[in-house]
Amino acid sequence: MGSFKIFLAVFSFIHLVIFWPSGAQNSKQDYLDVHNAARAQVGVGPIAWDDTVAGYAHDVANYTKKDCNLRRSGGPYGENLAEGSGDLTARDAVNLWLTEKQFYDYNSNTCAQGQACSHYTQVVWNRSVGLGCARVQCTNNGWWFVICSYYPSGNYIGQRPYLQL
């Protein structure tokens, strides 16, 4: 009987680690994988995790979680924000920003009228080499808030996010 209890405990632990929703798709590697896949599509080198930038993102997320209003922090880094109900994961948030790619025209370095592109261009900004992200659950409505911060920041007027080969 004792070995069955041990087996059950080990099985439960493994199941919890593999299928636990809050951490399953929200690691720093999850953020990096989606960012770097998008960057590779346009010939931009990979971005790396930066613990200092991540610490800043974490502080902003913890401050924001009481109301989860999407407002810029005004800090020293580039910034992408997302919020959503359900289980908004790291991949979901970055993929949301990447939907703006369809509105960005590289040749004119502009965004389609009435559309947003700055989240997408920040993800692929070739001079941004450091990334830090955080995800918290909002205390006012149970939604999720995701922030990714970028060093150095991007989206400078008149500059292209990357050089097309």
Side-chain angles (χ1 to χ4, degrees):
M1 189 71 166
S3 63
F4 177 75
K5 286 183 181 179
I6 292 172
F7 168 79
L8 187 59
V10 170
F11 176 80
S12 297
F13 176 76
I14 291 170
H15 184 6
L16 183 65
V17 169
I18 293 173
F19 296 107
W20 185 254
S22 65
Q25 296 179 5
N26 301 299
S27 70
K28 64 183 177 182
Q29 195 61 51
D30 292 315
Y31 289 104
L32 286 168
D33 287 348
V34 182
H35 275 82
N36 286 331
R39 293 166 70 90
Q41 286 179 354
V42 294
V44 174
I47 198 166
W49 193 260
D50 184 307
D51 288 332
T52 301
V53 178
Y56 178 82
H58 180 75
D59 290 347
V60 171
N62 280 330
Y63 177 80
T64 304
K65 74 180 179 182
K66 51 190 160 202
D67 64 14
C68 283
N69 286 331
L70 293 179
R71 63 181 166 271
R72 301 262 174 228
S73 69
Y77 303 113
E79 194 168 85
N80 279 340
L81 309 173
E83 71 175 343
S85 61
D87 188 29
L88 179 73
T89 66
R91 291 179 187 276
D92 294 336
V94 180
N95 283 325
L96 179 67
W97 302 325
L98 293 175
T99 63
E100 296 176 357
K101 179 180 182 176
Q102 64 187 314
F103 305 118
Y104 176 69
D105 179 52
Y106 181 84
N107 292 326
S108 64
N109 194 30
T110 60
C111 191
Q113 187 172 358
Q115 300 298 324
C117 296
S118 61
H119 300 98
Y120 166 70
T121 54
Q122 178 59 80
V123 169
V124 298
W125 196 264
N126 67 344
R127 290 186 193 102
S128 293
V129 295
L131 175 70
C133 303
R135 176 182 176 263
V136 294
Q137 191 162 25
C138 307
T139 58
N140 65 331
N141 60 12
W143 285 25
W144 290 95
F145 173 81
V146 176
I147 176 175
C148 284
S149 298
Y150 303 83
Y151 175 79
S153 62
N155 289 327
Y156 290 99
I157 295 173
Q159 293 184 16
R160 294 183 189 277
Y162 55 88
L163 297 176
Q164 201 169 45
L165 302 175

